């Protein structure tokens, strides 16, 4: 018998929370999983779990990111699968962000450069830029030291800067 | 050369894509955890009710052929000594003891209450018996 049932009470808070943070959490789910379908499943399971853990109050952002990360790992993200996935990221990244025709060239270039980043660097970048997490929070979430999290972020920015320099010398 | 802040700003300009429509549909309503009594007490009550119903139904069901044991009555029961041999003499507690190997025949005569069928059971068993050696 399922412990979950879906009904309307509390739906306004849930909806507001989803509207405010759903895109950011889904971006991280995409980064953590191998396919769009996996990203959707992980996103849904993680948000439901986080919502219930906090007894239907608004869950802490870091908790949701951590739950997404754990669920993605549980789903069977292994090293060899990750390497295969990295090859696909660059191609899929177009769907990760909203298009903007005014700055399309730069944005496309930036998205491609993001896709070429190593997985761990891209993870820190997403958590910092779009997740707006502090480096200690990122370090705690990714099980590394603050220095490691910071340096991954720095390396990521450096690579992006190099890529942009090629675009606009 | 762009600095870090400029690149961060450019990155933030990339807004994450909206949730896909199908995912938004899946997430339409918040998950609701049912009350504790519904999760724990209700299943227990249901299980107890099921046991009670089964206990009411079972006695009223007609016996199936070969399914359940018929009630029987023991008409006769006896044990007979059919062999006894001394196999050793040992010392213990300041006296001698004979160790006897005895063979017994157990017999039971039972009758089935509903069909009047009689059944005789026989079985042999062996026992080791200690017996003090009498001194005259």
């Amino acid at each position: 018998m399922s412990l979950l049932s879906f009904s309307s009470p509390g739906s306004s808070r849930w909806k507001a929370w989803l509207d405010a943070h759903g895109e950011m959490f889904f971006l991280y789910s995409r980064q953590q999983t191998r396919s769009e379908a996996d990203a959707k499943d992980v996103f849904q399971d993680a948000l439901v779990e986080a919502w219930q853990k906090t007894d239907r109050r608004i869950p802490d952002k870091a908790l949701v990111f951590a739950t997404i990360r754990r669920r993605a790992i549980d789903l069977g993200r292994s090293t060899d699968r990750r390497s295969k996935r990295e090859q696909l990221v660059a191609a899929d990244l177009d769907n990760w962000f909203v298009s903007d025709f005014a700055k399309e060239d730069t944005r496309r270039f930036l998205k491609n450069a993001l896709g070429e980043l190593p997985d761990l660097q891209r993870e820190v970048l997403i958590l910092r830029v779009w997740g707006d997490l502090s480096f200690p929070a990122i370090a705690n979430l990714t099980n590394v030291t603050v220095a490691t999290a910071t340096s991954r972020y720095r390396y990521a920015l450096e690579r992006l800067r190099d890529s942009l320099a090629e675009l606009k010398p | 050369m762009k600095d870090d802040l400029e690149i961060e700003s450019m990155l933030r300009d990339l807004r994450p894509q909206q949730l896909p429509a199908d995912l938004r549909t899946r997430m339409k309503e918040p998950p609701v955890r049912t009350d504790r009594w519904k999760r724990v007490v209700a299943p227990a009550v249901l299980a107890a009710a099921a046991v009670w119903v089964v206990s009411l139904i079972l006695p009223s069901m007609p016996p199936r052929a070969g399914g359940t044991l018929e009630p029987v009555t023991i008409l006769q029961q006896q044990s007979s000594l059919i062999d006894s041999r001394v196999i050793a003499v040992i010392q213990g507690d300041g006296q001698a003891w004979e160790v006897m190997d005895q063979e017994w025949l157990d017999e039971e005569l039972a009758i089935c209450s509903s069909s009047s069928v009689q059944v005789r059971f026989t079985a042999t068993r062996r026992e080791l018996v200690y017996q003090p050696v009498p001194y005259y």
Side-chain angles (χ1 to χ4, degrees):
Chain A
M1 187 172 70
S2 171
L3 299 182
L4 296 178
S5 60
F6 289 84
S7 60
S8 56
S11 61
S12 59
R13 267 185 307 157
W14 167 264
K15 189 173 179 305
W17 181 57
L18 211 59
D19 287 344
H21 303 293
E23 293 160 3
M24 170 182 75
F25 292 139
F26 190 53
L27 176 68
Y28 187 58
S29 288
R30 279 175 153 158
Q31 194 272 326
Q32 287 288 302
T33 51
R34 288 172 288 120
S35 68
E36 188 78 355
D38 284 355
K40 288 175 181 174
D41 290 344
V42 164
F43 173 84
Q44 180 175 7
D45 293 345
L47 265 67
V48 166
E49 183 185 327
W51 185 262
Q52 292 193 323
K53 264 186 188 166
T54 50
D55 199 21
R56 288 167 270 177
R57 288 189 293 274
I58 303 298
D60 181 60
K61 219 166 30 177
L63 169 71
V64 182
F65 281 123
T67 311
I68 289 171
R69 191 173 204 270
R70 178 173 48 75
R71 286 209 168 251
I73 290 169
D74 288 349
L75 200 62
R77 194 174 60 132
S78 59
T79 312
D80 59 332
R81 280 174 169 175
R82 177 188 295 184
S83 63
K84 284 175 191 168
R85 182 167 58 83
E86 281 178 342
Q87 296 165 7
L88 302 173
V89 164
D92 287 350
L93 214 67
D94 264 355
N95 301 324
W96 288 20
F97 299 99
V98 176
S99 295
D100 181 347
F101 291 109
K103 302 174 185 173
E104 197 52 36
D105 285 348
T106 309
R107 295 165 66 83
R108 182 171 294 280
F109 200 83
L110 204 54
K111 281 190 281 188
N112 289 342
L114 261 177
E116 287 167 8
L117 285 179
D119 220 23
L120 296 173
Q121 290 180 16
R122 189 170 47 246
E123 179 181 27
V124 174
L125 202 69
I126 285 174
L127 291 171
R128 176 73 184 147
V129 174
W130 291 281
D132 204 24
L133 292 186
S134 66
F135 283 114
I138 293 171
N140 187 43
L141 199 151
T142 54
N143 299 317
V144 295
T145 62
V146 177
T148 303
T150 311
S151 65
R152 281 178 185 170
Y153 184 72
R154 294 269 166 240
Y155 282 128
L157 286 187
E158 203 172 302
R159 291 180 74 142
L160 291 179
R161 186 167 48 240
D162 291 347
S163 299
L164 286 169
E166 290 172 19
L167 180 68
K168 292 178 181 174
Chain B
M1 184 69 103
K2 295 181 184 303
D3 62 16
D4 287 354
L5 288 176
E6 196 175 354
I7 293 174
E8 283 178 340
S9 171
M10 290 172 70
L11 286 171
R12 286 200 172 91
D13 280 346
L14 289 175
R15 280 197 305 110
Q17 193 66 265
Q18 291 179 340
L19 294 183
D22 62 325
L23 185 58
R24 186 162 281 280
T25 306
R26 279 159 66 174
M27 309 291 287
K28 196 174 176 184
E29 292 292 340
V32 177
R33 187 190 285 270
T34 52
D35 294 336
R36 179 178 168 75
W37 84 269
K38 283 183 184 170
R39 285 184 287 120
V40 179
V41 180
V45 169
L46 283 175
V51 169
W52 179 67
V53 168
V54 168
S55 69
L56 286 179
I57 292 171
L58 276 183
S60 63
M61 289 173 68
R64 290 179 299 153
T68 55
L69 290 174
E70 299 284 347
V72 294
T73 304
I74 305 296
L75 294 179
Q76 189 182 350
Q77 187 174 35
Q78 67 177 32
S79 296
S80 314
L81 183 64
I82 53 177
D83 191 18
S84 180
R85 290 177 297 147
V86 176
I87 56 174
V89 176
I90 59 172
Q91 291 291 327
D93 293 336
Q95 70 173 95
W97 297 80
E98 286 178 342
V99 180
M100 303 174 71
D101 177 17
Q102 295 182 340
E103 189 171 6
W104 293 81
L105 175 67
D106 295 328
E107 293 176 293
E108 277 183 3
L109 181 62
I111 182 167
C112 179
S113 305
S114 60
S115 58
S116 301
V117 173
Q118 291 190 359
V119 181
R120 182 179 298 275
F121 301 97
T122 58
T124 57
R125 60 185 164 86
R126 301 174 85 96
E127 277 185 7
L128 287 179
V129 179
Y130 294 81
Q131 183 174 301
V133 178
Y135 289 97
Y136 300 105

